[in-house]
Amino acid sequence: MSTKYVYFFGDGKGEGNGKMKELLGGKGANLAEMVNIGLPVPAGFTITTETCTHYYANNKQFPAELKAQVEEAIKKTEKAMGAELGSKTNPLLVSCRSGARESMPGMMDTVLNIGMNDDTVQALAKHSGNERFAWDSYRRFVQMYGDVVLDLKPRSKTERDPFEVALEHKKEKAGVTEDNQLSVAQLKELVEEFKALIKDRTGKAFPTDPMEQVWGAIGAVFGSWGNDRAVVYRRTYGIPHEWGTAANVQAMVFGNLGDDCATGVGLTRDCAIGTPGFCGDYLINAQGEDVVAGIRTPLRIEETLAKDMPSAHKQLDDIGIKLEKHFKEVQDIEFTIQRGKVWMLQTRNAKRTGFAAVRIAVDLLEEGLIDEKEMLAKRRIPADDLNQLLQPIFDPASKKVAEKEGRLLAKGINAGPGAASGKIVFFADDAEKMFEKDPKTDLILVRRETSPEDLRGMKAAKGILTAFGGASSHAALVSRQMGKACIVGCGALDINYEAGTITVGDKVLKSGDFLSMDGFTGEVFEGKVTTKPSEVIQVLITKTMKPEEAETFRRFDKLMKIADKHRKLRVRTNADLPNQAEEAIAFGAEGIGLCRTEHMFFDHLDEIREMIVADNLEHREKALAKLLPFQRKDFAGLFKAMDGKPVTIRLIDPPLHEFLSDAHLETDPKLADKLAKWSGKSVEEVKKRVEELHEFNPMLGHRGCRLGIVYPEITRMQARAIFEAAVEVQKAGVKVFPEVMVPLAGFAAEFKNQEKIIRETAEKVFAETGTKVEYMVGTMIEIPRAAVRADQIAENAEFFSFGTNDLTQTTLGMSRDDYGPFIGFYRENDIIGNDPFQQIDQDGVGELMKIGVERGRKTRNKLKIGICGEHGGDPSSVMFCHKIGLDYVSCSPFRVPIARLSAAQAAVEG
Ligand code: PEP
Ligand code: MG
C-alpha cells in the first residue's frame, strides 16, 4: 500500500486529529481537530512531516505518490469551498504554511494568495465586487512568492528589500503614504513592475499556472526547514533537526474585503501575567501579515472589538471558551473575519512567561478544567520558569529604554538568574569595604573570574559578572547559592584591573560607573536599569509582604504544595551558612545535601595558613585547634537552623594552595613575614613551602579525601567540630542529624581510612560529653572509579551523594573552569546538545550514575543516594535522578522550588 502523505480537513471532518502532531505538525493536527469539534475552519490539507524528511533524504525530491494525493486533496478543497483553483469565474485561492511538531514562531516560510494570475485577478474582482481588493491581493502574492519561492532577496546586508523599494517609489509618485491609498491602476503597474523585477534579478518568469504555484510554495515551505534561522532556533530549544515540518495548504479567507472584515491574533488569556479573558490584536480590512509586520498599529481585541464588530467578538469569545475547554490549555489563535464571519486559521498552546504559567495552571485547576496531575505537566510550567517569580526583575519599560539608547554592551552565559544594577567594582575587598560603609550601595563585582577568596565581596555585591568561566564556575555556583544575578563567560568584556576599566568596542567604563545585568538573558547594559524584588521573595524571605496581600505568592504556594503531594524525590539544599539554610527552608528544603566546609575557612585564613606552613604534626594541630571553635560554631548554627532535618557536611575539599599561594604572597607583601613568625621558619622556607603547594592540574591534585588521608588531623578537627556542635545543639533540645561526607573517594580504602577517623572521633566526643547523637558516614561519588566500584565503597559508606560537577569533569576529561572557550562552538556545531555542566550528560555521566546506584544498592539495598552537584537544580537532571531511583536532589536555596516542581513533574509524567 502506498504511504499516505496528505490529510484533508474540511466539510466538518478532518482525516487527522489533534493527537497527530508528529505526523501533521502542530498546526496541521490542530486544524483537523478544530474541524472535528465543529469550529469554522477553511478547508485544506496537510502534507506530512514524513514528506519533508523524504524530501531532505532524497536530494529535495518529493515522493512519487505525492502528486496524485495533492491533486485529489485540491479537488476536495475546491468542492468544500465551492470555488476552483484557476477558475475564470470563481477562483479558489490557497495559502501554504509551515507547521512543525513544536511551534517555531516566524522561523519558516508562508505563501498567501496562491492561485492568482492575470485571469483569476479579474474573476476575483468581479466575484468579490471589489477590484481594489483583487489587485491588492495579486500585488501581495507576486511580492511574497517572489521573495519566498523565487528567492528575490536583497543582495547585500545594506540593500533594502527591492519590492519594498518599488512599493515606496510608487507611493511617492502617487503622493500617498499608505499602501491602501494606491489606486487600482497603480496596483496593476506594481504587479507588472514586480514581475519584471523578478525576471530581471532571478531570470525566472513568474509562474501563471496555479498548480505550478502550489508546488513551488510546498517546496519553499519544506526548504525553509533548513534555513539558518530555523536551524539556530532548533539548536536553542533542543528541537531535533530530523523532525521536519509539515506543509498546510488551505483555502484563503479574506480580512481585506472591506470594513466588515478583519484579521487578528488572539490569546484566550493574557500570557504575560496570566489574567483571564480573551485578548490580542486585530486590524480591520487587512491581511494576516499586516498584524505581524507592524505596518499599522493593531487595535486591542479586549478594548475595542466588541464595539467595532459585536457579532464577531461574540463568535470569538465563544470559540475561545470552546477551545480552552477542549484543549484544557490557553490557546494562541489566528483568525480572519470575512464579512462578519470568524474563520479559524490556527490554534496552539500559547507560550507564556513563568508568571503567567503559574497563574494559568492554578486558575485552570480552580476552574475545574484540569486536575492536579495535568496542572503539573512540564509543558504547562517549565520548572525553570519559576525563577522568574523569585528573582528581582528589570522593569520592562526601563530595559526597553536602555536598548533604544544603545546601552546594551554584551551578552554572556546567563548563570544566575536575576536583574541587578549597580556600581562597577573590580576587587572583592573593595566591594566589602564599600558595602560596610554603605550597605545600601548597589555593586556589581566585575572580575575576569572569581575565586573562593572573593566570597565576601560576592556577598556584598548585587550581581557578579565575569569575562571567563562557565555555568559551573566558582562565580556561577556561588552566585546561585546566594541567589545573586550572575553572568559568566562574557568574553566581549576587556577587563583591565590596573586601569580599573572595562572596554567593550569603543566604550570604556570605569570603576564606579553604573552597569546593569540581566541574569535571565545574559545581557549587560551600561548605566542603570530599574529593578524590583519579586513578590514571592517579599513574602518568604524579606517578610516585607503578607501572604494574604500577595496574589502571585498564593498561586505559587498552592502550586508548590500540590507538587509536594505528588513528588517522590526529596529536595535538599546546598548551604554553608545558617541564613542560607533558613532561606532554603522557606523555599521548602528538607535538609542540607551539601555544606562545603571550606567556605567557612575563608573567614579564618590566618589560622588555616598557619596550619599549612607548619611542618610538624604538633604545630599543625595547634593551628587546627584555633579553627575548631569557629567550625563548631558554624555547624551549631546550621544544626539549629535545620531543626532535626538531615545535614550533610562535607569534609575539606579544595587543594591547600587555594588558601595560600604565590599570588597571595605577592598581593600581601607582609604575609610571608607573618607566616615566618608564626611557624618559626625563615621567609625563604615559607616561600619554598608555598612553592611546593603549586599544582599543574589542581582539580586532579592533592584535594578531597587525599588531604584528610595525608593530614588526618584535619579530618579529626572537622569531625570533632561536627560532633561537638551536634551534642551541644541536641543538649539544647533541638534534634540533630549529621551526615558526614567524604569527598572525592575513588578507592574503598580511601573511604575506610576517613571513616575510621570520623567514627573514632565521634566515639571520643560522645564519651567526653556523655551524649550520643545519631549520625551517618557516607561519601561523594564524583570520580568514575567510585561509580564503577560503588559495590566495594558501599560496604562501609552509609550514603552516596553524586558530585556531578566533578563527576562530569572527570568523566568527560573537561575542566569545569576551562570549558568556556570551546563549549559555545561545540553547541553551535551540534557536537553536543547541552552544556554538560548544566544538564547531566545522561549517556555518559548518567550511565556511570546508574552503575553507581545499581552496584551500591547491590551491596546495601537501602543505600540512601542523592545528588549535590549543580545539576541537582536543573529540571531535566532532576527528572533523570527520579528515573534512576535517587532518594533526593540537593541544590542551591533559590532553586529549591524548581527542584520540587521538577520532581513532581518526573513523578506524574513517569
Ligand atoms: C561536585 O563535584 O559536584 C560537588 C558538589 O563538589 P564541588 O562542586 O564542591 O567540587
Ligand atoms: Mg566536587
Side-chain angles (χ1 to χ4, degrees):
M1 219 190 92
S2 74
T3 313
K4 184 169 172 60
Y5 288 110
V6 174
Y7 286 73
F8 174 74
F9 53 83
D11 261 348
K13 173 116 191 60
E15 287 183 321
N17 63 56
K19 295 206 168 68
M20 295 170 71
K21 290 202 171 64
E22 285 186 19
L23 190 64
L24 303 180
K27 186 179 300 186
N30 279 354
L31 281 169
E33 188 75 9
M34 284 197 289
V35 173
N36 288 336
I37 61 171
L39 292 182
V41 176
F45 55 92
T46 303
I47 307 174
T48 63
T49 54
E50 276 177 6
T51 321
C52 183
T53 42
H54 178 285
Y55 179 79
Y56 277 98
N58 292 275
N59 206 16
K60 302 202 173 171
Q61 298 298 312
F62 296 124
E65 303 98 309
L66 188 67
K67 187 163 182 285
Q69 293 187 20
V70 166
E71 281 170 1
E72 193 199 325
I74 291 268
K75 287 222 164 64
K76 283 191 192 164
T77 309
E78 289 175 336
K79 191 160 163 269
M81 300 305 289
E84 246 174 72
L85 204 63
S87 160
K88 292 185 184 162
T89 50
N90 182 20
L92 170 75
L93 300 189
V94 295
S95 64
C96 181
R97 311 204 293 169
S98 57
R101 227 189 267 191
E102 267 181 38
S103 74
M104 296 168 47
M107 298 299 128
M108 290 183 286
D109 287 335
T110 291
V111 187
L112 304 179
N113 301 331
I114 301 165
M116 298 231 58
N117 58 29
D118 293 350
D119 294 329
T120 53
V121 70
Q122 308 284 359
L124 190 68
K126 220 162 143 197
H127 193 255
S128 65
N130 185 338
E131 197 182 12
R132 206 192 164 280
F133 150 74
W135 281 95
D136 185 46
S137 303
Y138 195 13
R139 190 274 299 172
R140 287 168 188 264
F141 173 56
V142 178
Q143 177 169 355
M144 210 170 198
Y145 199 90
D147 168 12
V148 172
V149 185
L150 303 174
D151 207 26
L152 201 178
K153 307 250 192 277
R155 281 174 293 204
S156 70
K157 245 168 63 185
T158 47
E159 187 187 339
R160 289 187 49 216
D161 179 55
F163 292 116
E164 287 300 327
V165 173
L167 181 63
E168 213 156 273
H169 280 166
K170 186 61 61 191
K171 284 193 281 190
E172 260 168 35
K173 225 171 108 194
V176 298
T177 50
E178 302 294 326
D179 297 4
N180 58 9
Q181 292 169 317
L182 289 172
S183 69
V184 171
Q186 285 155 347
L187 288 169
K188 283 182 183 173
E189 285 167 19
L190 258 185
V191 167
E192 286 317 306
E193 286 166 25
F194 280 3
K195 285 184 184 171
L197 193 64
I198 291 169
K199 179 81 185 148
D200 179 43
R201 296 275 282 262
T202 69
K204 294 174 212 158
F206 193 82
T208 52
D209 172 27
M211 255 341 263
E212 189 185 339
Q213 295 171 356
V214 169
W215 285 110
I218 295 170
V221 163
F222 285 150
S224 68
W225 175 256
N227 74 29
D228 192 54
R229 272 200 319 265
V231 172
V232 171
Y233 185 90
R234 290 199 290 278
R235 210 170 270 141
T236 312
Y237 292 97
I239 299 173
H241 297 311
E242 303 76 58
W243 279 2
T245 180
N248 298 286
V249 178
Q250 188 179 21
M252 291 288 304
V253 281
F254 299 98
N256 54 343
L257 273 171
D259 284 345
D260 54 353
C261 300
T263 182
V265 290
L267 292 164
T268 54
R269 342 191 149 211
D270 168 81
C271 283
I273 49 169
T275 329
F278 203 99
C279 56
D281 295 329
Y282 72 102
L283 273 178
I284 291 178
N285 198 9
Q287 261 197 343
E289 78 263 27
D290 299 345
V291 179
V292 185
I295 301 167
R296 288 153 59 188
T297 310
L299 304 164
R300 298 296 304 164
I301 293 172
E302 65 278 23
E303 286 168 7
T304 45
L305 189 64
K307 195 170 89 261
D308 286 348
M309 295 183 171
S311 150
H313 183 255
K314 169 91 177 60
Q315 291 170 55
L316 263 181
D317 227 24
D318 292 346
I319 288 171
I321 291 166
K322 192 163 181 177
L323 281 172
E324 277 202 354
K325 275 215 169 102
H326 183 74
F327 287 103
K328 300 174 182 235
E329 242 312 17
V330 186
Q331 296 295 298
D332 162 351
I333 67 168
E334 281 179 27
F335 63 90
T336 286
I337 303 169
Q338 179 172 288
R339 302 212 156 121
K341 178 177 163 66
V342 172
W343 289 92
M344 295 295 296
L345 303 181
Q346 169 159 307
T347 191
R348 60 185 172 199
N349 294 340
K351 298 209 185 299
R352 65 210 79 169
T353 67
F355 291 94
V358 172
R359 165 148 199 189
I360 290 166
V362 174
D363 284 358
L364 291 183
L365 176 81
E366 290 176 353
E367 289 165 25
L369 232 56
I370 52 174
D371 64 21
E372 287 184 356
K373 284 189 176 172
E374 285 169 322
M375 172 205 183
L376 292 168
K378 194 169 78 172
R379 62 170 172 75
R380 230 176 256 284
I381 317 171
D384 245 342
D385 291 358
L386 285 185
N387 257 329
Q388 296 170 28
L389 278 71
L390 306 184
Q391 302 302 328
I393 52 163
F394 277 132
D395 209 348
S398 187
K399 197 167 144 177
K400 229 179 219 150
V401 170
E403 273 173 31
K404 247 199 197 139
E405 292 171 353
R407 293 195 277 122
L408 177 62
L409 290 178
K411 225 173 154 184
I413 299 175
N414 44 345
S421 288
K423 284 183 189 162
I424 297 170
V425 52
F426 292 103
F427 301 100
D429 48 356
D430 287 349
E432 203 184 346
K433 276 183 217 137
M434 287 162 84
F435 186 76
E436 263 168 23
K437 217 161 136 199
D438 177 10
K440 287 207 183 93
T441 348
D442 290 339
L443 301 168
I444 305 286
L445 181 64
V446 183
R447 302 279 309 157
R448 291 205 187 103
E449 72 279 300
T450 66
S451 81
E453 246 192 298
D454 295 327
L455 210 65
R456 293 188 204 210
M458 292 172 80
K459 262 194 240 171
K462 263 213 121 87
I464 290 111
L465 171 63
T466 71
F468 304 106
S472 59
S473 61
H474 177 266
L477 69 88
V478 173
S479 314
R480 281 203 289 271
Q481 189 153 330
M482 293 177 176
K484 306 230 175 208
C486 176
I487 297 173
V488 295
C490 196
L493 307 181
D494 185 358
I495 298 169
N496 185 332
Y497 289 139
E498 287 75 34
T501 56
I502 306 172
T503 311
V504 191
D506 54 6
K507 287 202 170 167
V508 182
L509 280 81
K510 297 183 305 300
S511 167
D513 287 351
F514 264 91
L515 197 71
S516 298
M517 44 185 288
D518 189 335
F520 293 113
T521 60
E523 292 163 306
V524 181
F525 295 92
E526 179 186 5
K528 279 188 195 174
V529 180
T530 329
T531 62
K532 51 180 195 183
S534 86
E535 197 179 274
V536 174
I537 298 298
Q538 289 196 50
V539 175
L540 289 177
I541 308 296
T542 61
K543 317 255 194 254
T544 45
M545 219 171 163
K546 291 196 190 98
E548 59 275 16
E549 290 167 352
E551 198 48 28
T552 306
F553 172 78
R554 183 190 75 75
R555 292 197 182 86
F556 166 83
D557 193 46
K558 180 157 185 174
L559 170 70
M560 287 291 105
K561 287 194 171 118
I562 293 172
D564 289 347
K565 215 162 98 187
H566 290 270
R567 71 185 157 90
K568 305 269 182 310
L569 275 172
R570 300 206 149 259
V571 177
R572 296 196 188 184
T573 193
N574 293 356
D576 312 331
L577 300 167
N579 74 320
Q580 285 172 358
E582 276 156 17
E583 280 178 10
I585 289 173
F587 284 132
E590 298 162 289
I592 289 180
L594 174 65
C595 164
R596 290 179 167 100
T597 50
E598 62 271 13
H599 285 171
M600 299 171 173
F601 289 162
F602 284 101
D603 284 337
H604 304 287
L605 277 173
D606 283 354
E607 292 81 359
I608 186 105
R609 284 173 174 164
E610 191 178 337
M611 190 276 293
I612 291 170
V613 290
D615 57 5
N616 61 57
L617 177 64
E618 192 194 346
H619 199 160
R620 263 199 307 278
E621 281 185 331
K622 214 173 100 203
L624 283 165
K626 292 187 195 166
L627 283 167
L628 176 72
F630 299 123
Q631 288 242 296
R632 189 172 51 221
K633 184 161 164 271
D634 287 338
F635 294 142
L638 269 188
F639 290 139
K640 267 185 223 144
M642 294 311 287
D643 195 19
K645 296 182 177 69
V647 178
T648 307
I649 297 171
R650 180 184 70 182
L651 303 178
I652 187 170
D653 184 62
L656 296 180
H657 55 75
E658 282 201 10
F659 304 102
L660 183 59
S661 66
D662 273 347
H664 294 111
L665 295 185
E666 264 166 41
T667 44
D668 180 358
K670 290 192 198 126
L671 183 59
D673 284 335
K674 211 157 71 172
L675 291 170
K677 211 162 99 209
W678 288 337
S679 60
K681 288 181 178 173
S682 69
V683 168
E684 290 321 304
E685 281 168 326
V686 165
K687 285 189 176 162
K688 192 160 164 284
R689 170 72 182 132
V690 172
E691 223 168 83
E692 280 164 15
L693 293 174
H694 173 77
E695 291 178 332
F696 288 102
N697 292 300
M699 276 295 160
L700 304 177
H702 194 183
R703 55 169 288 222
C705 64
R706 298 160 197 169
L707 284 173
I709 290 171
V710 175
Y711 304 112
E713 54 278 12
I714 302 181
T715 304
R716 255 195 307 273
M717 182 281 286
Q718 290 203 289
R720 177 165 281 277
I722 293 168
F723 292 112
E724 286 183 355
V727 165
E728 175 191 316
V729 173
Q730 185 170 282
K731 275 187 174 167
V734 180
K735 270 203 198 147
V736 288
F737 191 64
E739 297 174 337
V740 186
M741 184 156 76
V742 176
L744 216 76
F747 296 89
E750 289 178 310
F751 179 75
K752 274 198 233 168
N753 171 296
Q754 292 293 283
E755 185 206 8
K756 186 161 176 283
I757 301 171
I758 296 160
R759 291 200 187 280
E760 279 172 5
T761 309
E763 288 312 315
K764 257 195 203 147
V765 172
F766 298 160
E768 285 162 20
T769 57
T771 307
K772 271 190 184 234
V773 297
E774 232 187 294
Y775 71 98
M776 280 175 130
V777 187
T779 186
M780 296 189 76
I781 303 289
E782 48 187 346
I783 55 176
R785 196 182 194 285
V788 173
R789 287 278 61 120
D791 50 341
Q792 295 174 350
I793 294 175
E795 276 173 20
N796 289 64
E798 291 175 296
F799 66 88
F800 283 176
S801 177
F802 284 104
T804 42
N805 302 333
D806 271 310
L807 190 59
T808 299
Q809 77 173 352
T810 49
T811 302
L812 272 57
M814 192 184 274
S815 158
R816 67 208 241 194
D817 296 310
D818 299 319
Y819 79 118
F822 59 87
I823 191 69
F825 188 90
Y826 263 43
R827 294 216 44 210
E828 260 162 45
N829 290 277
D830 298 318
I831 306 286
I832 49 174
N834 297 304
D835 181 336
F837 289 99
Q838 290 194 23
Q839 293 184 19
I840 289 173
D841 155 40
Q842 295 186 13
D843 291 346
V845 175
E847 278 300 300
L848 279 170
M849 292 174 72
K850 269 197 232 166
I851 290 172
V853 172
E854 271 163 34
R855 297 191 184 171
R857 290 212 174 120
K858 211 165 173 188
T859 302
R860 191 184 283 265
N861 68 16
K862 291 253 162 64
L863 184 70
K864 175 150 68 162
I865 308 179
I867 177 177
C868 63
E870 281 304 290
H871 306 86
D874 162 65
S876 71
S877 308
V878 172
M879 294 185 95
F880 178 74
C881 292
H882 169 91
K883 213 164 84 191
I884 64 167
L886 297 203
D887 297 298
Y888 70 86
V889 296
S890 186
C891 56
S892 29
F894 276 63
R895 294 199 75 85
V896 166
I898 293 162
R900 285 161 74 192
L901 179 57
S902 305
Q905 292 177 332
V908 299
E909 291 183 13

